Amino acid sequence: MIKIITDSVASIPADAAREAGIEVVTLFVNRDGTEYADAEMDLDAFYADIHEMADDLPTSSQPSQHALEEAFERAAQAGDEVLGVFISSELSGTYEGAVRAARAVKARNIGFSYALVDSSSCGYDEAWPVFDAVEARDAGGDLAACAAAAVAGVERTRFLFTPENLTFLQKGGRIGNAAALLGNLVRLAPVLTVIDGKATTFAKVRTRKKALERIAEAFLADVEEHGLRRAAVHYIGDRAPAVAWARDVVEPLIGRAVSVLPVSPVIGLHVGPAVGIAYECASALKGKLTGPVRVQAAS
């Protein structure tokens, strides 16, 4: 059997993970001295006072080496192979930790096989390749086929989002004080994306309304050129603006319902209140990667 493992930053709801047979290894958020397991949090409750967090940002931590080894050891002892898809190695050390853990378990269990895919992203931009691997597994594919499905998914997905303001990006050290002050004064609303595993600016416009319009335009252009497999609207903070945008803009564009899901606070607290979309097309998208998807495998 092939065991599919991902991390909580993929933001897959617990019931969806259970139904698909996905094991989720949690990251952690520390706020005011209390540590929260990302995979077990009520994210809407946590985000309820997000604006108050800007002056004292919570911190995050990746899974321990022990936790990762335990996940792989359980699979090895059960005679399972592992296909893992993890948060971008440019955003977290989780992927590198998973590689070390898998190698350690392999050293103790010579017959253990695994393939670990660097998703080059987070949120449902990370989750869609996980579901691609699930589909390959459920169709009877072997470990190589599941890994290939996940890699193809990474190449077909994109995450576009816009923050409410630049305060959290500045507080977290992503932009300087002067840039944040100027951006907030002139109501600069960047559209952000992930390229080669790093968050970067996709476009800059003046007002959040225009930023959401720019996201919708880019999304529709990708869909028209590459087709659409699936999409989810993401939010950080208040759910209501994301629901309204999904129903009023996204769903009419594609003629189908989309899920509206919170992003893991491990990522969300670096961005602050935001709305965006993570989607998977039918063929590889331009501009997301300039090199091959990173994969570590041992059989």
Side-chain angles (χ1 to χ4, degrees):
M1 176 178 165
I2 297 171
K3 185 71 176 177
I4 294 177
I5 300 177
T6 191
D7 56 68
S8 57
V9 183
S11 306
I12 301 172
D15 55 350
R18 284 192 298 270
E19 184 178 345
I22 300 165
E23 180 171 348
V24 178
V25 179
T26 193
L27 279 78
F28 299 89
V29 174
N30 187 295
R31 184 185 184 194
D32 298 331
T34 300
E35 186 175 71
Y36 302 88
D38 183 23
E40 300 169 6
M41 294 170 66
D42 180 333
L43 298 188
D44 286 322
F46 182 81
Y47 280 142
D49 59 347
I50 188 172
H51 292 91
E52 297 176 14
M53 301 181 201
D55 291 327
D56 186 17
L57 285 180
T59 59
S60 61
S61 58
Q62 64 196 53
S64 68
Q65 194 71 20
H66 178 68
L68 289 164
E69 285 194 32
E70 277 193 329
F72 294 137
E73 187 71 41
R74 285 193 298 270
Q77 291 297 315
D80 295 337
E81 299 175 298
V82 167
L83 185 284
V85 181
F86 297 96
I87 177 178
S88 166
S89 58
E90 296 287 347
L91 299 176
S92 168
T94 301
Y95 178 79
E96 297 292 354
V99 170
R100 290 192 299 271
R103 287 172 175 166
V105 171
K106 174 72 171 177
R108 299 192 294 268
N109 302 270
I110 302 303
F112 175 54
S113 296
Y114 63 87
L116 308 179
V117 179
D118 182 343
S119 74
S120 303
S121 197
C122 58
Y124 257 59
D125 200 15
E126 175 188 349
W128 293 136
V130 177
F131 286 113
D132 289 325
V134 168
E135 290 175 357
R137 178 202 64 193
D138 293 350
D142 60 12
L143 182 60
C146 292
V151 168
V154 171
E155 295 170 340
R156 292 192 299 254
T157 59
R158 199 183 312 279
F159 192 7
L160 298 169
F161 55 103
T162 183
E164 181 178 290
N165 56 57
L166 304 179
T167 302
F168 280 75
L169 291 168
Q170 181 265 315
K171 295 286 186 179
R174 267 54 184 181
I175 59 174
N177 291 342
L181 177 61
L182 178 61
N184 285 333
L185 283 174
V186 301
R187 300 185 67 194
L188 177 66
V191 174
L192 305 177
T193 191
V194 183
I195 296 176
D196 288 333
K198 300 177 183 178
T200 190
T201 302
F202 182 84
K204 293 180 182 179
V205 294
R206 296 280 298 275
T207 75
R208 198 179 193 210
K209 179 181 178 182
K210 290 185 181 298
L212 290 171
E213 290 173 353
R214 181 70 183 88
I215 290 173
E217 290 169 1
F219 168 55
L220 184 58
D222 276 342
V223 169
E224 289 176 341
E225 182 173 357
H226 299 280
L228 179 67
R229 297 198 71 209
R230 40 202 171 189
V233 167
H234 264 323
Y235 66 93
I236 302 164
D238 185 8
R239 173 182 170 84
V243 170
W245 188 62
R247 303 297 176 255
D248 297 343
V249 178
V250 177
E251 293 182 352
L253 280 178
I254 60 176
R256 69 173 90 160
V258 296
S259 298
V260 180
L261 302 166
V263 177
S264 160
V266 171
I267 293 298
L269 293 171
H270 294 295
V271 179
V275 173
I277 187 168
Y279 54 95
E280 181 179 9
C281 289
S283 59
L285 295 170
K286 303 179 185 71
K288 183 182 178 182
L289 298 167
T290 59
V293 176
R294 187 178 177 191
V295 180
Q296 291 284 335
S299 58

